[in-house]
Amino acid sequence: MTDRTDKAEYFIIKALENGVNVIGLTRGHDTRFHHTEKLDQGEVMIAQFTEHTSAIKVRGKALIQTSHGEMTNE
Ligand code: TRP
């Protein structure tokens, strides 16, 4: 593969309650939701920022790990 995901870092979201939403927002001029992944307590999502995804929004209590650090969003 030669797109930007070759070097893109991964982030990890671990749900600390049921019904956590990880929402992907589109890259480019038009910023909109393109995917919502629902996680139940203890479920983990490992993902990257890609040519389609420039930002994420996390709704619900979760542990978020990135190369910039780790946080919960209580
Ligand atoms: N099809 C999406 C993409 O390639 C999949 C994806 C990657 C995604 N990272 C995400 C979806 C983060 C939601 C949140 O960009």
Side-chain angles (χ1 to χ4, degrees), residues 7-12 49 54 56 64-72:
K7 293 184 181 133
E9 301 232 10
Y10 286 82
F11 57 87
I12 298 173
F49 292 103
S54 66
I56 60 164
I64 301 163
Q65 289 182 326
T66 73
S67 60
H68 300 283
E70 177 179 304
M71 75 203 77
T72 55

Side-chain angles (χ1 to χ4, degrees), residues 17-36:
E17 65 182 6
N18 288 337
V20 170
N21 288 305
V22 180
I23 303 163
L25 288 90
T26 55
R27 187 177 297 282
H29 181 70
D30 185 21
T31 305
R32 57 183 169 72
F33 293 1
H34 68 72
H35 182 87
T36 299

